[in-house]
Amino acid sequence: MLAAGAALPVLAMSRPGRAQPFGPQPSLAAAMLADCRDYGLPGMATATRDAAGASASAYTDAGFTDATLFEIGSISKSLVAIAIHRLVDDGRLALDAPVQPIVPDLPLPDAAITLVQLLDHAAGLPDGAPLFPPVPGGRLWTGYAPGARFSYSNTGYMLLGAVLEAAAGQPFAVALQRLALDPIGMASSVPVLRAADRDRFATGHMMAFPARAARPHAPLAVAPWVDMDDPAGSVGATMPDMARYMAFLAAAANGQANGVLSPRATRDFAMRDGVADPEAAPDARYASGLIHRVMAGRRVIEHTGGMFSFCASMTIDLASGAGCFAGTNVSLGGYRPRRISREASRALAGLPPADAPLAPTPFAIPADWKGAGRWIAANGDVLALDRGGCSFAGKSAGLWSGGSGLVTDHPALADWPIETDGDGLWWRDRRFMRSRPAPAQPTPPALAALEGVYVTNDPWYAGGIAVIARRGALHIAGVGALAAHADGSWRFDDPALACERFWFENIVGGRPQQLNVSGNLLRRAAHRRDW
């Protein structure tokens, strides 16, 4: 297990002396080491391509080489999209045709879903449901009319993998290798994650205490290996291959001949307007596995990737063709090396640092945060917060931003995020206000029966899901409120999460023993801490 303050390894360059300038830092290498130091990352690798087309790789670990594979996560989606567009080029698929006739054996929704809607996350499918979901009715569903808006869906790309197999007449891994990796020149990369290739990968890490919210320098442990052939994120790539991929993407996004896609397919893949992607930024558009946006006055394409033991970020400046891919062998909550890839792409394009940061520092509490001060619970407990940390029960600890709320390493508070609803704070089911609140009303028995922590050995749900009742409503801790529906499912109030479904199942003594999360089954566990 890696503890906070562990020594960093010495930087290794695949081409000594080729470290590129990096904004205010003396080099990209220094910035990589700074992120490893500041967040407690075990290692990082980058692939860069400058405006002249020269590429280089850099590593923070002498054990990493140009032959080392890193999991690139959801950046794999754009490679799946390339394979689909090649089959469209060959006349085997049509972007606007419904997918149901292509894969008739899959339990798909009745609403017609097209390939382009799947490519752009606009089909209305849930994010992480399996293709054969063990849910009432046994079929997938849509949370809105396909094509109406954006909603990120790994399930949609799983479906694209099935379409790819059907149209190519080959297993997914073979088809992706033949149609995307080989033509681009990514000969050292792999289309799926197999135990047989494990010795080629950097060693992945995850939080040693996954039930706790992610924070900088959280203790880490070596992650278990899990084979994965999920088209939503199954590619392992070397740094030289990622440099080749960025060269391909820069050419395609500028409409240049690339030797892989026809001019029409190039436009459809890399130059379409796509759909608005408010999850990425107000101005962002999503098309075929790529995010298109303007940052600091420059057109860029980018994408991030998050696995349960790796994460990555890729940014390409389109005017110059310069780009950077950064990957790290750990999963640490919402951390992605965006700052590295974004600022490096500017430096490689010969540009000065952006006037304003292109990416918020992960875990940083915003400067306009209004949560500082004393907060009081009904029993008189006082929680004091400021941007430098928190104080509770006579002990002080660190405080960081974490998803929907705040996270701390305070021993009494570390198991749950501190969330806000606008006029107060919640920690688990405890209410904190500026002035002492009235004692909470008893939780209705029907909701109390559903409360609990639900867990699974699936690493994507490491730490489990906590169901909490607050003010007479059911919440998923750290995510949002649920509402019951007539079909027996529970759904988020937030429209951005409307595609997900929850079912409480296997009732014993009035209490569910299983939580079905969009077809993923979690069992009721012993309550965490003093639940």
Side-chain angles (χ1 to χ4, degrees):
M1 185 169 72
L2 299 180
L8 286 173
V10 177
L11 182 94
M13 301 295 296
S14 66
R15 297 183 184 181
R18 290 296 304 278
Q20 299 290 339
F22 179 82
Q25 302 290 341
S27 68
L28 171 58
M32 293 164 63
L33 289 171
D35 259 29
C36 289
R37 179 193 64 234
D38 293 345
Y39 303 114
L41 312 178
M44 184 177 288
T46 58
T48 57
R49 181 178 185 272
D50 65 21
S55 61
S57 307
Y59 308 98
T60 63
D61 189 317
F64 299 158
T65 73
D66 280 356
T68 302
L69 292 167
F70 276 71
E71 297 179 17
I72 68 172
S74 287
I75 297 172
S76 306
K77 290 180 170 67
S78 54
L79 289 159
V80 173
I82 289 167
I84 292 290
H85 283 287
R86 291 201 71 194
L87 292 176
V88 172
D89 251 352
D90 292 342
R92 301 189 200 183
L93 295 172
L95 290 179
D96 292 325
V99 300
Q100 281 90 339
I102 304 171
V103 283
D105 295 330
L106 295 183
L108 300 182
D110 292 331
I113 295 172
T114 66
L115 280 179
V116 74
Q117 290 165 353
L118 293 174
L119 289 166
D120 297 354
H121 294 304
L125 292 170
D127 184 10
L131 291 183
F132 291 88
V135 300
R139 302 183 67 82
L140 287 168
W141 60 90
T142 55
Y144 55 84
R149 61 179 176 85
F150 174 93
S151 179
Y152 197 90
S153 175
N154 286 301
T155 300
Y157 269 78
M158 292 165 59
L159 179 51
L160 283 171
V163 169
L164 181 58
E165 285 194 344
Q170 294 175 311
F172 167 73
V174 176
L176 189 64
Q177 187 80 47
R178 177 176 67 85
L179 294 170
L181 297 180
D182 285 347
I184 293 168
M186 300 176 70
S188 297
S189 299
V190 295
V192 296
L193 309 178
R194 305 180 309 152
D197 297 319
R198 184 178 186 178
D199 60 344
R200 297 182 56 200
F201 280 84
T203 299
H205 295 77
M206 60 194 305
M207 290 172 54
F209 305 102
R212 300 176 185 174
R215 60 172 178 81
H217 290 283
L220 305 178
V222 172
W225 178 268
V226 176
D227 280 10
M228 184 171 176
D229 60 357
D230 185 338
S234 64
V235 172
T238 63
M239 294 305 102
D241 277 1
M242 288 308 298
R244 295 183 186 96
Y245 189 39
M246 288 188 291
F248 168 84
L249 290 173
N254 282 294
Q256 299 168 10
N258 50 69
V260 178
L261 298 169
S262 70
R264 181 196 65 183
T266 296
R267 290 191 299 272
D268 288 340
F269 165 63
M271 302 176 72
R272 280 190 306 109
D273 195 32
V275 299
D277 177 2
E279 293 181 12
D283 68 329
R285 314 288 297 185
Y286 197 103
S288 292
L290 295 170
I291 298 169
H292 300 250
R293 60 177 303 203
V294 175
M295 290 193 299
R298 308 281 292 193
R299 289 176 55 239
V300 302
I301 55 174
E302 66 176 354
H303 211 287
T304 61
M307 304 294 278
F308 66 84
S309 58
F310 285 80
C311 67
S313 180
M314 176 182 71
T315 307
I316 303 169
D317 175 75
L318 293 184
S320 66
C324 175
F325 167 90
T328 182
N329 55 328
V330 67
S331 175
L332 193 63
Y335 171 83
R336 302 289 185 271
R338 291 185 182 91
R339 184 178 66 90
I340 302 289
S341 69
R342 289 177 174 178
E343 290 287 7
S345 68
R346 285 185 61 83
L348 292 161
L351 300 169
D355 293 335
L358 292 176
T361 303
F363 305 109
I365 296 176
D368 60 354
W369 176 63
K370 296 180 174 59
R374 295 173 76 254
W375 299 86
I376 306 172
N379 68 349
D381 284 349
V382 174
L383 174 62
L385 305 177
D386 60 46
R387 293 186 69 200
C390 74
S391 177
F392 181 75
K395 295 183 179 179
S396 297
L399 189 69
W400 300 273
S401 177
S404 65
L406 302 168
V407 298
T408 178
D409 57 358
H410 192 290
L413 304 173
D415 276 4
W416 306 91
I418 301 169
E419 302 173 74
T420 181
D421 60 2
D423 60 349
L425 302 177
W426 289 94
W427 181 82
R428 208 187 67 179
D429 55 351
R430 294 186 64 187
R431 182 74 162 156
F432 289 83
M433 302 288 288
R434 293 294 189 182
S435 58
R436 190 167 178 169
Q441 296 298 312
T443 300
L447 293 186
L450 305 180
E451 288 187 301
V453 177
Y454 297 81
V455 301
T456 173
N457 289 329
D458 184 339
W460 292 104
Y461 289 89
I465 289 177
V467 179
I468 302 169
R470 296 173 180 163
R471 287 183 168 179
L474 211 58
H475 289 249
I476 301 295
V479 184
L482 296 174
H485 283 252
D487 64 357
S489 70
W490 291 72
R491 306 177 193 178
F492 285 113
D493 291 339
D494 185 349
L497 302 171
C499 299
E500 305 308 320
R501 301 286 186 271
F502 296 78
W503 290 269
F504 293 91
E505 300 173 336
N506 299 347
I507 309 300
V508 177
R511 303 175 71 189
Q513 303 304 302
Q514 179 170 280
L515 177 62
N516 187 328
V517 183
S518 293
N520 299 280
L521 306 180
L522 286 73
R523 69 184 185 279
R524 191 185 199 97
H527 294 312
R528 192 186 304 171
R529 286 282 186 96
D530 59 342
W531 178 273

